[in-house]
Amino acid sequence: MLLIFLSLSFLQSPDQVAAQALYDEARYEEALQSLGPECAAEDIACEKLRAFVLMALGKEEEATATFLRLLSVQSDFELGPEVAPKMQGLFKRAQ
């Protein structure tokens, strides 16, 4: 997981890198705050992370809305097989 994080971190803004680290430490409220307004719907990685954070906080409706925004930008987006079934289910409902 750390290797994936490090290899992708150069593609992310500093806020996203900080938010990912906070998410990995289960500091979800802080991760959500770190994403801030600069994390726009056009940024797929940022919206994906926002949805994961919201789901971790138990905010399913907001996570679904985030996935809907993400899909409006990239309709063929897929989460990948490594994502937990509960998150996959939420994503499929958003599709």
Side-chain angles (χ1 to χ4, degrees):
M1 173 80 169
L2 181 60
L3 180 58
I4 293 170
F5 171 73
L6 291 175
S7 66
L8 295 177
S9 64
F10 72 94
L11 299 173
Q12 299 175 324
S13 72
D15 289 341
Q16 284 176 269
V17 172
Q20 181 67 56
L22 290 165
Y23 175 81
D24 290 344
E25 295 172 5
R27 295 166 57 189
Y28 305 124
E29 289 288 346
E30 293 171 77
L32 189 58
Q33 291 173 353
S34 286
L35 291 173
E38 294 81 28
C39 177
E42 296 80 31
D43 188 335
I44 300 298
C46 189
E47 285 295 88
K48 178 183 172 186
L49 179 55
R50 185 187 310 276
F52 278 56
V53 170
L54 289 166
M55 188 68 166
L57 289 168
K59 299 180 179 185
E60 249 183 72
E61 287 183 28
E62 290 178 55
T64 300
T66 301
F67 278 138
L68 288 170
R69 281 193 307 274
L70 185 155
L71 289 164
S72 74
V73 174
Q74 186 179 336
S75 61
D76 63 342
F77 180 80
E78 292 293 329
L79 286 179
E82 74 283 357
V83 176
K86 186 173 181 177
M87 187 64 77
Q88 290 282 2
L90 182 74
F91 180 74
K92 293 293 182 197
R93 288 191 298 277
Q95 286 181 309

